[in-house]
Amino acid sequence: MTTLTLSKALNEGLRKALEDNPKVIIMGEDVGKLGGVFRVTDGLQKDFGEDRVIDTPLAESGIVGTAIGLALRGYRPVCEIQFDGFVFPAFDQIVSQLAKLRLRSLGHITMPVVIRIPFGGGIGAVEHHSESPEALFAHTGGLRVVACSSPGDAYTMIQQSVRSPDPVIFFEPKRRYWDKAEVDLSAALDEATPLTAARTVAQGTDLTVLAYGPMVRTCVEAAVAAGEEGRSLEVIDLRSLSPLDMDTVLASVRRTGRCVIVHEAAVSGGLGAEIAARITQDCFYHLEAPVLRVGGFSTPYPPSRLEEHFLPDLDRVLDAVDRALAY
Amino acid sequence: MAVDGYGAATAVPGPASLQGQAGSSPELVQLLTPEGERVTHPDYPLELTAEEVKALYRDLVLVRRIDTESIALQRQGELGIWASLLGQEAAQVGSGRALGPHDMAFPTYREHGVAWCRGLDPVKLLELFRGVSHGGWDPAEHGFHLYTIVIGAQTLHATGYAMGIQRDGAVGEDGQAVIVYFGDGATSQGDVNEAFIWASVFNAPVVFFCQNNQWAISEPLERQSRIPLYQRARGFGFPGIRVDGNDVFACLAVTRKAMQAARDGQGPTFIEAFTYRMGAHTTTDDPTRYRLASELEAWKLKDPLERVKAYLVRTGAADQAFFEGVDEEATVLGKRVRTACQTMPDPQPLAIFDNVYAEPNALLEAERAQFAAYLDSFASEEVAQ
Ligand SMILES: Cc1ncc(C[n+]2csc(CCOP(=O)(O)OP(=O)(O)O)c2C)c(N)n1
Ligand SMILES: [Mg+2]
């Protein structure tokens, strides 16, 4: 076991992927010499060369579009989008091209492209640097969408994503890049939790809290606080946002009868809406309370001096828990 | 105008010339050498009175002061981040002072010097970098659009705005034109290339002012282009010109001419201001990771302020009292900016819901009411305790 930050765990995962398969390449803005603005690719160009770790021209549509071409030619590109708010110039390439090539070719084409996106707020940044656009991608058939929340998962999930035959939109919780945890660098990938599976990170009996990415830590802290008041919360880290691991979710909600879903993204039209609808449909008679959602408002992300109000925090999670338990 | 641009573009240098020293290249319009010597250019005659030169010098000093003060404020935790314009003062002041009151400018996030020329209070800029607003000024009031952080997006807005001017028939001597700022890195974006096409096809009155500061965060110009950037314009069908971006006279003359050509119905011009980003990309960046100190040292010799000062001294247009006066003014400005930043109030939490839509929105009103009640619940808890 080694103690690593989430950023360093991703770095080690990418290093492993580059070592394991010569077809793996990394491409993006400032990923080479600088090692990325969050240092996720630090040292990789030095060790694997400019051919494998590529500083690209400043154009996101170009990054993803050429990654598609490289994938057609047998490469496995891992693209970095510098910040969540800058993925949109590439949106057309991702949604209209990357997601659909397998289908359009009747399965002749595979698209093993990973698009890494640091997402979410809480770092005091200027606009376009704190967005949570995951629902837009989860809404798109043909893409797999995942979010890691801890160094251990970061290390395995990035490698599993690189091995995925389907394109993966890989969300990284940027405000948790510096969170540290023990990581087993020698663990066999085949034995790790599958990329499609959710994980129960805190067991409980009174209510199920669903979260992913940066909100997992917030919700675990909320569970601890609730525990001190005699309330037992189960916290599930969804990990895979498309497809959703509804089996794990439903099994938990059937036991607890109550559910709160937490994400930074706006509640309206967010992933919580999808999950709540499925829970209501598939375990209606187990529910003791309506499924509640905690998330951003239906506004653009505010200037950073207001972000603490926009972002769900421990109090807002507990407030929803109280409301759900009041039924 | 077209002849200037195309003429200059015919001598195609190899990629090596990208590294060329400003001032030594025949492709570079220069009117004031780094040593402060006035030189002439046949296409860009420029007559400036001593007072005008002193005014430019004052602008340069004051915008540099805004910049150094802001960096310090960021270091002290008063700002979230700051994008320094150090080294690019002449490009911004020269082009900014070439604009008429009815012209419109579209900036990136680094155009603090242009903002100054447009009469925008620097404190407004600090609001954005402190995280109090996303800008919040009225673009129409100053002929200065909001800062655009998404690289290159504003080039299309500028082009569309210029098409509007054209439709309104606001051309000729009293006409209007648009200038849009962007960096060397931005030239790779699809939006920017589309803006070139639109502007060209519709002959829009827009000047593309590219500050080639040699770097896009850690990526050198060679990552974006194998030919000098100004030469790209030719392929899009309009003139491109490279100017010494550290020479405020040349930037003023070249931009003036391009803006007047746009007003006169001659369409777009691409200006490449050849300059250097003397500082870090932003206060969160560490340039020692990717570039050599020697490069910085070489560019220090081309400082945009020093050459104007040398010129003023050489020609006897300004005395010691003038320079001291400007420095004193800079100190006062710096203090004002600092105090305004430190005492800037945070917005009210419920401001999150303001200005999202023009008309009342049921969903948002419900969220606002809910959130207000939630905030009140803490207030009443405090009272109860
Ligand atoms: C679409 C988009 N992608 C990436 C970024 C992140 N980013 C901010 S500034 C920058 C480099 C810009 O370089 P350049 O255009 O040369 O302007 P400069 O910063 O040098 O003034 C990058 C990549 C962004 N703001 N927008
Ligand atoms: Mg640049």
Side-chain angles (χ1 to χ4, degrees):
Chain A
M1 288 290 203
T2 321
T3 305
L4 296 179
T5 62
L6 194 148
S7 163
K8 184 64 181 163
L10 286 166
N11 179 273
E12 291 292 344
L14 288 167
R15 174 178 295 277
K16 193 91 194 334
L18 286 161
E19 278 166 1
D20 288 352
N21 187 341
K23 294 291 188 186
V24 173
I25 52 178
I26 290 176
M27 49 203 284
E29 296 155 11
D30 307 290
V31 297
K33 210 162 185 183
L34 183 64
V37 295
F38 292 107
R39 307 293 183 260
V40 171
T41 55
D42 193 21
L44 298 180
Q45 186 182 68
K46 195 171 129 273
D47 294 344
F48 294 91
E50 290 183 26
D51 278 351
R52 309 258 331 259
V53 181
I54 306 162
D55 274 329
T56 67
L58 204 178
E60 289 76 10
S61 182
I63 293 170
V64 177
T66 56
I68 290 172
L70 283 155
L72 287 171
R73 186 72 194 178
Y75 288 89
R76 303 183 91 85
V78 181
C79 305
E80 174 174 301
I81 300 294
Q82 201 162 79
F83 282 91
D84 35 53
F86 307 137
V87 69
F88 299 109
F91 202 57
D92 172 63
Q93 288 290 349
I94 297 172
V95 168
S96 302
Q97 305 298 331
L98 184 63
K100 293 179 176 163
L101 277 164
R102 167 173 297 275
L103 179 88
R104 283 165 60 204
S105 69
L106 295 179
H108 288 292
I109 293 174
T110 51
M111 272 291 127
V113 175
V114 178
I115 300 176
R116 296 182 33 242
I117 308 177
F119 84 125
I123 63 161
V126 290
E127 58 178 344
H128 314 298
H129 292 73
S130 306
E131 314 274 313
S132 297
E134 61 275 12
L136 301 174
F137 298 99
H139 192 61
T140 302
L143 300 177
R144 298 180 59 164
V145 182
V146 303
C148 60
S149 69
S150 66
D153 271 358
Y155 177 67
T156 49
M157 287 172 75
I158 189 65
Q159 293 179 68
Q160 291 167 323
S161 297
V162 172
R163 289 194 190 180
S164 163
D166 290 319
V168 178
I169 312 297
F170 190 95
F171 283 103
E172 302 171 2
K174 74 168 83 77
R175 69 163 134 157
R176 310 290 187 214
Y177 271 136
W178 304 278
D179 281 11
K180 282 184 184 162
E182 297 274 291
V183 179
D184 182 2
L185 294 176
S186 61
L189 211 50
D190 306 334
E191 287 159 29
T193 310
L195 192 57
T196 44
R199 189 209 311 282
T200 305
V201 288
Q203 310 230 323
T205 52
D206 294 338
L207 183 146
T208 303
V209 181
L210 303 178
Y212 53 87
M215 284 293 104
V216 173
R217 190 177 118 186
T218 306
C219 292
V220 169
E221 287 165 3
V224 171
E228 284 162 12
E229 295 181 1
R231 295 168 159 179
S232 163
L233 306 188
E234 179 141 300
V235 182
I236 295 177
D237 178 357
L238 291 169
R239 298 168 84 251
S240 177
L241 309 182
S242 179
L244 285 161
D245 176 8
M246 285 310 295
D247 288 347
T248 301
V249 171
L250 292 170
S252 173
V253 177
R254 285 193 183 108
R255 274 191 290 103
T256 62
R258 291 180 167 84
C259 182
V260 169
I261 309 167
V262 185
H263 50 58
E264 289 188 14
V267 163
S268 294
L271 268 165
E274 173 64 29
I275 299 167
R278 285 178 185 274
I279 292 173
T280 312
Q281 179 182 298
D282 294 336
C283 61
F284 185 69
Y285 291 106
H286 291 85
L287 286 176
E288 308 281 347
V291 178
L292 297 184
R293 292 170 291 161
V294 182
F297 304 116
S298 305
T299 66
Y301 197 85
S304 62
R305 291 263 162 175
L306 288 178
E307 71 180 338
E308 59 170 310
H309 294 291
F310 185 92
L311 294 168
D313 60 4
L314 194 114
D315 284 331
R316 269 171 67 194
V317 174
L318 291 177
D319 174 67
V321 166
D322 284 348
R323 283 185 285 126
L325 287 171
Y327 278 89
Chain B
M1 196 59 208
V3 174
D4 294 341
Y6 288 127
T10 47
V12 180
S17 72
L18 292 175
Q19 299 301 319
Q21 302 284 300
S24 63
S25 161
E27 312 164 50
L28 190 82
V29 177
Q30 191 181 65
L31 299 178
L32 185 66
T33 68
E35 294 73 34
E37 270 171 67
R38 188 72 167 82
V39 287
T40 58
H41 190 289
D43 299 324
Y44 298 99
L46 181 71
E47 300 287 339
L48 291 173
T49 64
E51 285 316 305
E52 286 170 323
V53 177
K54 280 153 81 176
L56 288 171
Y57 178 76
R58 174 180 168 273
D59 284 338
L60 294 169
V61 171
L62 295 184
V63 302
R64 180 168 288 185
R65 186 49 179 260
I66 293 165
D67 195 69
T68 42
E69 200 66 41
S70 302
I71 293 171
L73 284 164
Q74 196 280 337
R75 297 271 180 261
Q76 291 150 18
E78 296 290 342
L79 297 178
I81 194 171
W82 180 256
S84 168
L85 62 36
L86 191 68
Q88 298 176 223
E89 296 90 347
Q92 296 193 13
V93 167
S95 61
R97 287 297 176 204
L99 310 181
H102 302 299
D103 292 329
M104 186 70 187
F106 287 77
T108 70
Y109 39 82
R110 207 186 289 285
E111 264 67 74
H112 323 313
V114 184
W116 172 259
C117 295
R118 301 307 280 166
L120 186 78
D121 188 339
V123 174
K124 290 306 276 182
L125 306 176
L126 267 59
E127 273 183 29
L128 187 157
F129 290 99
R130 186 174 167 90
V132 163
S133 79
H134 291 316
W137 60 85
D138 175 5
E141 192 186 333
H142 297 284
F144 188 70
H145 189 63
L146 294 170
Y147 273 9
T148 299
I149 291 173
V150 179
I151 299 296
Q154 74 282 5
T155 55
L156 283 165
H157 312 156
T159 303
Y161 192 97
M163 289 163 66
I165 289 177
Q166 193 178 38
R167 278 164 184 266
D168 295 343
V171 291
E173 196 60 41
D174 305 323
Q176 292 166 258
V178 178
I179 187 165
V180 58
Y181 293 87
F182 54 104
D184 44 291
T187 61
S188 294
Q189 282 286 4
D191 276 4
V192 177
N193 288 274
E194 289 174 27
F196 293 160
I197 290 166
W198 250 254
S200 172
V201 165
F202 295 106
N203 203 42
V206 56
V207 171
F208 294 102
F209 195 90
C210 177
Q211 285 167 82
N212 173 4
N213 63 8
Q214 316 300 327
W215 293 92
I217 310 187
S218 73
E219 297 195 8
L221 184 64
E222 299 87 274
R223 282 282 116 173
Q224 320 292 344
S225 186
R226 292 198 60 177
I227 60 160
L229 291 173
Y230 77 92
Q231 291 185 11
R232 291 223 187 130
R234 185 176 188 182
F236 288 96
F238 52 89
I241 182 92
R242 182 187 270 180
V243 59
D244 180 348
N246 287 16
D247 172 354
V248 70
F249 293 177
C251 289
L252 176 69
V254 168
T255 310
R256 253 188 201 163
K257 189 167 176 178
M259 290 294 279
Q260 195 50 47
R263 289 186 206 104
D264 289 342
Q266 291 175 42
T269 302
F270 181 112
I271 300 173
E272 175 189 354
F274 201 80
T275 180
Y276 192 75
R277 195 194 79 208
M278 295 297 286
H281 170 68
T282 64
T283 42
T284 56
D285 175 43
D286 172 13
T288 61
R289 289 178 70 100
Y290 54 79
R291 69 182 190 188
L292 298 172
S294 58
E295 190 179 279
L296 191 68
E297 290 309 312
W299 277 92
K300 266 189 191 152
L301 303 175
K302 297 170 195 157
D303 186 76
L305 274 64
E306 287 308 317
R307 68 178 78 182
V308 183
K309 188 172 192 178
Y311 173 76
L312 284 169
V313 171
R314 179 192 304 268
T315 55
D319 55 13
Q320 196 53 32
F322 166 75
F323 293 114
E324 280 166 15
V326 172
D327 286 345
E328 177 55 27
E329 209 185 333
T331 306
V332 172
L333 175 65
K335 275 194 188 133
R336 178 173 79 77
V337 165
R338 159 166 297 268
T339 310
C341 181
Q342 287 166 335
T343 56
M344 202 179 277
D346 282 352
Q348 291 303 309
L350 293 178
I352 289 176
F353 301 97
D354 294 343
N355 297 306
V356 181
Y357 297 101
E359 289 170 2
N361 176 292
L363 175 69
L364 234 57
E365 290 315 315
E367 287 184 8
R368 185 204 301 264
Q370 245 172 34
F371 188 54
Y374 173 76
L375 291 173
D376 282 348
S377 72
F378 288 96
S380 41
E381 252 174 48
E382 271 167 33
V383 171
Q385 281 163 11

